[in-house]
Amino acid sequence: MSVPVQCRHDETFVLNLGPQHPATHGVLRVKLTMDGEYIVKAEPVLGYIHRMHEKMAEDGNFAQFMPNTARMDYLHALAYNHGYCLAVERAAGIEVPERAEYIRVITVEMNRLTSHLLWWAAFLLDLGGFSPLLYAFDDREQILDLLERITGSRLTYCYFRFGGVYNDIDDEFIAGTYAFIKRLRSRLPRLYHDLVTGNIILIKRLKGIGMLSKEQARRYGCTGPVARGSGINYDVRKNEPYSVYPEFDFDVPVYNECDSMARYMVRMDEIEQSMRIIEQALDKLPDGPVRAKVPKILKPAAGDYWASVETARGNLGHRLVCDGKKNPYKLKLRSPTFSNLSCFGEVAEGMLLADALAFMGSLDLVIPEIDR
Amino acid sequence: MSIVEETRRALLVLFPELAAVEEEARAAAQAEAEIQAAEEAAAAEKDENEMDALLAERDAVRLDAESAKQSVAADEDNLEAAEQEDPAAEKKEKEPEEEGPRENGIVLTDHASRGTDIDVFCDPDQVVAAAGIMDEAGFFLEAITGVDWIKEDKLEVIYDYNQYGQEQCRVVVRTFVSRTEPEIPTIMDVMPSADWHERETHDFYGIRFTGHPNLIPILLPEDADFHPLLKDFTP
Amino acid sequence: MDTNIWRPILYLIGFMAFAGINAAYLGWCERKGAGRIQRRTGPMEVGFQGLLQPLADGLKLMSKQLLVPDGVDSILFRVAPILAMIPALTSMAVIPFAGNVQARAVELSVLLIFALASIGMMAVLLGGWASGNKYSLISAARSVSQNLAYEIPMLVTVITIVMLTGSMNLEEIAAAQQGGFWNWNIFPVASHSLAQAIIMPVSFIIFFICSVAETNRAPFDMAEAESELIAGHMTEYGSMGFGLFMMGEYLNMVVGACLITILFLGGWDGPLGLSGGIWWFLVKIYLLLFTVIWVRWTYPRTQIYKLLNLSWKILIPFSLVNLLLTAAFIKVF
């Protein structure tokens, strides 16, 4: 019979958190060296769902990689669609009709809402609150139904095309979206903020936990809500405007507390900002075609191109290297959570297991995106 | 001064000869300005005796300036290409691999068409210094990746830097290493985030980052001895 | 003589049935309650409104293999679930459901219940230790420190009650509170002084929090903590080993609710002077159980050190102050 826990002389032990663990939301594994319930050293181990998308991109032509984009960040798939389209359009010099740009913004922001709602639900689940999960899924379901109507899928969208989108939106979609925003606006303060954000247990568990300083965030290349929770005013939509984002009036929520609560509040505020963007886009929606005439086989000029978009998790970059042939010579995906997670080891040191899991939840990890 | 220009000046430290050339160009420009001032002064004074002396001096300075100008001509072209949108120069940027080995230096690129602002090409042993400059300038590391130029028998290593400021400035630092012995110093000591990016690049291209304490596969299986993004990789 | 033997046996059979049904159907109530709170229906498939679901779950658990993994301490591993179930069942024997409805009248029944509750904690410790799983071990350590911390304010509060009543017999404590809610220990304005009545609700809240923590229920379910420790001490258990742990948990909840009802809510006494009876007792314990379920599905989990701080820094001082004040009031008034 073996000894249950092998204690070394310094009385630390190794705890494998994952790859199957309820709090890692996927197949992330963290090798923890523990001293009792305190973490001495945390070392994330990645690659359990690595699929080598970058090689797949090199194998097919430009359009053939489109469906892959949705399978990395499955929670904000349309942003990956968008990022890849921007990179290819930049390389091939394709102009996108204005209506298509508006539709892109509307759908991407709706997808961002689903992503934040799901994060909220899963985060509360990490903290042991089960009910919010179903409230958030209730709302998320409405968006998925709307998106399903026009994109044809509910999770792994392949809706964008080079030079536009696949399908025009209809009146029913517009009406449904307005109705949904009205509904979420009425539910946010009561169901989300009164019940959960103001909860004393939640505040006690998040305030001052997982301190990620501004300098640390920069040195680890954090972007998105993680950086904004550390007082960094950085949002690709504002700093490096793409698509028609400059035409909308929205704020970038920034909190200076650097703790998990700040990251939580950033995302909650972003839900409201996304709703503002969607409303403005629907109000201003121009008429016109939704797809430019684009040759079936693209052969962009040789050179390398970078395109960044803001996903729900941060700055997603596509580096596209072309050699004048019909397939990408090289496609590099800069996934935001890969960088965001890299600070985990340093920050989690000395934390309690429960706090480290709360911190991990506040990073909003999507494992397939990290592993690609 | 815009952040792009500031960063470009900061990065010039990497290239002493370029910096010297630029310094000379600046000195030449200054000298010309001096000449102009002197001419104006001369015109004002209208003293013929002094005029002769001045003219002699002016010729000497002008000669200096011209020789300096000639020596910078090639690089000046490069520097101003993007700003002037000279079609020939742009073509040259877009097809580095067809131009043969690119010269070390700094190129400003058009953000709207390329997505980057500054393109730095340097020697492999200069990436640490480049990272140090970027760190000091408040940049963060966006990504590290490689490109396999199998025809030229070379691996390109690309570092993308970006900053949080409201003004856009994305810097690309690139360098070539040989395909048979791909080695490059790690920048992990300067940018801790490079840890994972370098491990990933090592996974995919087999580029060894010397000095990296933990260069084990990160995304590939822990016993992987293949590098899938090399063009001659067959599964 | 005969009646003396048969009475406990009959009662025990009755209580066993009561306990079994409670353990099974509290699970159903919990799922239905959670369903209501979460705007869904809960179990609906087996029987009307899923009423046969506990039966189906029980059958499923019983028909599964009792798996003992490699590397576990097999004796302790098997003993632990039984230890979780037996003390809770035994406690039932001394609980007076109504005036004369009690399996065995024991003079020191309060002490007996607390002694048995401590054994229940051993089940978590042994199960966690014997599993040979690091998560289970952390869970065991948590559970011990938590139970240790929360038994102290609980016992101090009980001493307050014992001082007020002058007895350690649950039946006598309940009998002393008869005749309307103004006599109940939660607000004993009629039976004791007004000053006493003002501090007693605090005692009630302390006791309620402690009993929730003692039964390892959310938001204090540190031992189970599924998002941190997977299922804590139950991680390695399947089949009826798991089933017994679950039944033990629900039974502990029932015992806790019974205890609160007797100590603070007048036992079987009807409010407003209505005639008492076992139905009032049942109404009270189920209201308490519903509250516990309600809390579980509303709040996120606390964190172990904050939980311990709550006990050592807030509950214990407050309960001690209450004890002192009670002693003073008894002397003065």
Side-chain angles (χ1 to χ4, degrees), chain C:
Chain C
M1 192 68 192
D2 271 352
T3 48
N4 280 349
I5 296 170
W6 283 110
R7 185 186 134 115
I9 290 175
L10 278 176
Y11 272 114
L12 269 182
I13 292 170
F15 289 138
M16 291 278 273
F18 175 73
I21 290 170
N22 255 314
Y25 274 87
L26 268 182
W28 178 85
C29 290
E30 172 130 41
R31 289 165 75 174
K32 275 291 184 192
R36 283 301 292 174
I37 290 168
Q38 294 162 356
R39 303 181 171 200
R40 56 191 176 87
T41 52
M44 289 296 275
E45 292 298 318
V46 191
F48 173 70
Q49 290 283 322
L51 266 174
L52 296 178
Q53 187 68 46
L55 212 64
D57 288 349
L59 279 175
K60 185 197 77 173
L61 283 176
M62 279 185 234
S63 62
K64 283 201 165 180
Q65 187 192 353
L66 196 63
L67 198 74
V68 181
D70 270 354
V72 306
D73 187 325
S74 59
I75 297 171
L76 290 184
F77 187 81
R78 282 165 216 261
V79 165
I82 301 168
L83 263 184
M85 180 78 181
I86 299 293
L89 255 180
T90 319
S91 312
M92 285 280 181
V94 296
I95 286 172
F97 288 84
N100 217 7
V101 189
Q102 188 179 18
R104 191 88 178 92
V106 178
E107 205 45 47
L108 297 175
S109 45
V110 175
L111 269 189
L112 183 71
I113 284 186
F114 277 94
L116 288 169
S118 297
I119 295 177
M121 180 262 282
M122 291 296 289
V124 177
L125 174 62
L126 288 183
W129 172 258
S131 293
N133 181 315
K134 289 169 192 171
Y135 290 107
S136 304
L137 188 76
I138 294 176
S139 154
R142 280 184 177 189
S143 154
V144 170
S145 49
Q146 179 183 344
N147 276 268
L148 207 66
Y150 278 83
E151 257 173 29
I152 297 168
M154 214 169 175
L155 279 169
V156 172
T157 314
V158 169
I159 293 172
T160 317
I161 303 275
V162 171
M163 276 164 64
L164 284 177
T165 322
S167 165
M168 287 194 112
N169 188 335
L170 286 173
E171 197 176 355
E172 281 175 29
I173 292 174
Q177 303 175 50
Q178 300 301 306
F181 74 85
W182 44 86
N183 285 326
W184 297 358
N185 275 340
I186 186 173
F187 195 65
V189 67
S191 54
H192 299 275
S193 62
L194 181 66
Q196 187 67 47
I198 288 168
I199 61 165
M200 281 319 276
V202 180
S203 283
F204 171 74
I205 289 168
I206 292 173
F207 196 87
F208 183 74
I209 292 175
C210 290
S211 69
V212 173
E214 277 280 299
T215 47
N216 275 334
R217 290 286 299 184
F220 306 123
D221 56 343
M222 290 299 121
E224 202 179 322
E226 77 279 349
S227 61
E228 296 155 25
L229 304 180
I230 301 153
H233 56 286
M234 299 192 282
T235 308
E236 298 290 342
Y237 284 94
S239 164
M240 264 330 262
F242 174 75
L244 284 178
F245 267 122
M246 290 305 288
M247 283 171 79
E249 187 188 320
Y250 283 119
L251 277 184
N252 275 328
M253 277 168 66
V254 175
V255 172
C258 291
L259 214 53
I260 296 173
T261 309
I262 293 164
L263 293 179
F264 286 96
L265 301 178
W268 57 89
D269 183 36
L272 301 167
L274 294 172
S275 65
I278 192 167
W279 49 89
W280 282 117
F281 191 89
L282 293 177
V283 165
K284 285 171 193 171
I285 66 168
Y286 286 118
L287 272 176
L288 285 167
L289 288 172
F290 171 72
T291 315
V292 173
I293 290 173
W294 187 13
V295 167
R296 170 170 180 183
W297 294 106
T298 309
Y299 288 118
R301 182 181 306 115
T302 53
Q303 187 237 60
I304 178 73
Y305 281 80
K306 299 200 165 113
L307 178 76
L308 297 181
N309 280 345
L310 176 71
S311 173
W312 291 106
K313 292 185 180 165
I314 298 174
L315 296 184
I316 292 180
F318 267 87
S319 56
L320 283 172
V321 166
N322 265 0
L323 181 67
L324 281 176
L325 284 178
T326 308
F329 293 152
I330 288 173
K331 199 80 187 150
V332 172
F333 298 107

Side-chain angles (χ1 to χ4, degrees), chain A residues 46-47 55 58 90 218-219 222 232 234 239-240 302-304 306 308 315 319 329-330 332 334 339 372, chain B residues 94 111-115 135 139 142 145-146 148 160 162 164-165 170 174 193 200 205 218 228 231:
Chain A
L46 314 178
K55 188 77 177 174
E58 291 175 16
R90 185 168 267 169
R218 180 185 72 80
R219 282 159 65 83
C222 299
I232 296 170
Y234 177 74
N239 293 47
E240 194 185 343
D304 53 359
W306 179 282
S308 264
N315 172 358
R319 168 172 285 286
Y329 190 75
K330 146 110 200 145
K332 160 75 186 170
R334 188 259 179 212
S339 293
R372 282 160 288 151
Chain B
K94 282 191 178 174
H111 188 89
S113 65
R114 310 303 296 270
D135 187 40
F139 279 64
E142 258 186 331
T145 189
D148 182 15
D160 288 290
N162 198 357
Y164 295 123
R170 178 173 283 114
R174 51 178 96 223
S193 57
E200 185 195 312
Y205 290 95
I218 185 165
K231 291 282 175 188

Side-chain angles (χ1 to χ4, degrees), chain A residues 34-47:
Chain A
M34 307 278 294
D35 179 11
E37 282 215 36
Y38 284 96
I39 293 170
V40 178
K41 188 162 168 270
E43 192 188 330
V45 181
L46 314 178

